[in-house]
Amino acid sequence: LVLQMIHELKPITVDGMEYDTWAKFLHQDDKCYYDMSQVQKEIVEDTNRVCGANKGISDDPIHLKLHSTRAPSLTLVDLPGLTKIAVGDQPQGIDRQIESLVRSYVGKPNTIILAI
């Protein structure tokens, strides 16, 4: 998941309702989300569409833009945790796939790594 948070100076008004936080996925044209539980649901559904329900991974990230009056302008990338053992029906080479994916991001000079 590539989460691009964009600080907005003022809320938006849609159909008479004011929202200080809204989100858009790049894989969806102009659809806006105002309910963050729906954003979470779409992340899970898109992950399952792209990677399957078997805990697979993909080099093709989900891109989410989160506009908010309460968030700083900042981009975060959520990467899978490093593993050595395949879980469930993950492919046997999952450890090498994850390591390659992680290295493609952490090797950049302007990257700050937050390991949780």
Side-chain angles (χ1 to χ4, degrees):
L1 173 69
V2 175
L3 170 61
Q4 183 180 4
M5 297 187 304
I6 302 165
H7 177 74
E8 297 289 346
L9 297 176
K10 58 184 180 179
I12 62 168
T13 302
V14 178
D15 297 330
M17 297 287 295
E18 191 172 271
Y19 299 96
D20 63 359
T21 302
W22 63 97
K24 293 182 178 184
F25 289 93
L26 292 187
H27 67 271
Q28 297 175 332
D29 292 330
D30 291 326
K31 184 173 182 179
C32 264
Y33 289 82
Y34 307 103
D35 178 351
M36 293 304 112
S37 67
Q38 293 300 313
V39 170
Q40 180 181 6
K41 182 180 175 189
E42 178 58 27
I43 290 170
V44 170
E45 288 176 1
D46 197 48
T47 299
N48 289 340
R49 259 192 309 274
V50 172
C51 302
N54 65 350
K55 300 189 183 299
I57 66 166
S58 171
D59 290 342
D60 186 23
I62 298 169
H63 289 270
L64 172 62
K65 287 188 176 186
L66 181 74
H67 300 260
S68 181
T69 59
R70 300 178 289 152
S73 292
L74 181 68
T75 299
L76 301 171
V77 179
D78 183 20
L79 296 169
L82 296 174
T83 184
K84 292 292 180 193
I85 300 170
V87 176
D89 57 352
Q90 288 179 322
Q92 286 301 315
I94 191 76
D95 58 331
R96 291 184 302 279
Q97 288 177 327
I98 292 173
E99 184 175 345
S100 175
L101 178 63
V102 169
R103 285 186 186 278
S104 72
Y105 282 95
V106 301
K108 297 175 182 175
N110 61 341
T111 299
I112 298 172
I113 303 165
L114 177 62
I116 300 176

